[in-house]
Amino acid sequence: MRYYISDLHFGHAKLNTEMDHRGFASAEEMNQHMINQWNSRVRHGDEVVILGDFCMSKKAGEAEEILRQLKGRKYMIVGNHDYYLNDQDFDRSLFKWIESYKELNDNRRKIILSHYPIFCYNGQYRRNGEGIPKTYMLYGHVHNTFDEILVNEFIQRTRACRREVRGSDEQQNIPCQMINCFCMFSDYVPLTLDEWIQLDAKRRSELSKKQLR
């Protein structure tokens, strides 16, 4: 099984009182909760793609200590706060690969992986024979901030646009399958692509209703 999650920010105490307002009493309490949530779902043979900002520490040992407590085979998309990766003593073998950008296949669907949202991503217009989009852009970075509201507005406007499709005279709405895999949206539990698709659709529907009020 493959799972995805972003912006865990292990060790980032300020997120308990600022920006995310996670509400834990300390970074240690937050760390332990996130470890427990991760291991409640992930098994040792599973794959987990981390979409950046895994740990705030610049020290290799602190990041390694956390990684060794997390089940599964881990894959890293580098975020802007993953400073520990610059420590020459960091054991990079704790990740199966470390990339800034990656394209994968997940159950016959193309997955675009980036810490930062990409508005015009590779394969955006691809659909299967039933007209269902075949490509999904998974991102992080913006957490649950005003930037995420702007991303949602972009998605809405893009999906409302219509254009001609190659090989047909009919116009179709433009697919825009961008999913923010922010850890707080899933209560710090890594989710499968299908679970993220379902959660994202529900969350964006609720967000759009709030914007109309």
Side-chain angles (χ1 to χ4, degrees):
M1 190 69 70
R2 182 191 294 160
Y3 301 103
Y4 307 87
I5 196 165
S6 185
D7 295 276
L8 290 150
H9 283 255
F10 277 100
H12 197 171
K14 285 187 177 180
L15 290 186
N16 289 314
T17 55
E18 301 176 11
M19 195 163 108
D20 292 350
H21 297 281
R22 298 188 181 189
F24 296 98
S26 64
E28 291 74 21
E29 181 181 299
M30 178 182 72
N31 288 355
Q32 190 58 56
H33 179 75
M34 292 195 296
I35 291 169
N36 292 342
Q37 290 295 86
W38 177 298
N39 290 336
S40 72
R41 168 61 66 86
V42 180
R43 297 294 175 260
H44 290 294
D46 292 334
E47 299 178 338
V48 184
V49 177
I50 303 165
L51 288 156
D53 287 3
F54 171 74
C55 177
M56 282 296 291
S57 178
K58 296 181 180 180
K59 299 179 180 179
E62 293 180 11
E64 290 171 351
E65 182 181 358
I66 295 169
L67 282 165
R68 291 192 173 102
Q69 295 179 66
L70 299 173
K71 296 178 183 177
R73 295 176 289 174
K74 293 165 279 289
Y75 302 79
M76 187 67 191
I77 296 292
V78 180
N80 55 304
H81 290 299
D82 291 305
Y83 306 116
Y84 60 91
L85 292 174
N86 297 323
D87 188 332
Q88 61 181 1
D89 294 325
F90 177 70
D91 182 2
R92 298 174 78 89
S93 70
L94 290 169
F95 293 116
K96 295 300 181 181
W97 49 248
I98 301 171
E99 303 282 356
S100 295
Y101 173 93
K102 192 78 170 179
E103 297 184 7
L104 299 176
N105 292 317
D106 188 314
N107 194 21
R108 299 183 180 180
R109 292 163 295 189
K110 186 181 184 71
I111 310 299
I112 308 300
L113 301 169
S114 170
H115 179 60
Y116 310 99
I118 300 175
F119 293 140
C120 299
Y121 53 90
N122 185 27
Q124 179 174 346
Y125 295 101
R126 295 178 183 173
R127 302 175 187 263
N128 64 18
E130 298 175 349
I132 299 173
K134 293 177 61 177
T135 308
Y136 292 83
M137 197 280 119
L138 306 187
Y139 66 95
H141 186 59
V142 297
H143 294 227
N144 191 18
T145 63
F146 183 69
D147 286 338
E148 175 62 4
I149 294 176
L150 294 178
V151 173
N152 191 62
E153 290 182 358
F154 174 84
I155 291 172
Q156 287 180 297
R157 292 187 63 181
T158 302
R159 289 177 176 176
C161 294
R162 297 178 66 83
R163 67 188 293 269
E164 291 184 2
V165 180
R166 183 184 301 174
S168 174
D169 294 331
E170 297 182 1
Q171 291 189 337
Q172 294 183 359
N173 290 91
I174 299 176
C176 190
Q177 306 299 323
M178 299 174 62
I179 299 177
N180 184 355
C181 296
F182 179 41
C183 62
M184 289 186 72
F185 292 154
S186 63
D187 194 17
Y188 309 100
V189 176
L191 300 181
T192 66
L193 175 60
D194 287 308
E195 289 172 332
W196 274 116
I197 292 171
Q198 183 177 9
L199 178 61
D200 184 75
K202 180 180 179 181
R203 184 181 65 80
R204 292 198 186 280
S205 176
E206 293 173 351
L207 180 59
S208 297
K209 289 177 182 177
K210 289 181 181 179
Q211 290 175 252
L212 293 174
R213 292 175 185 172

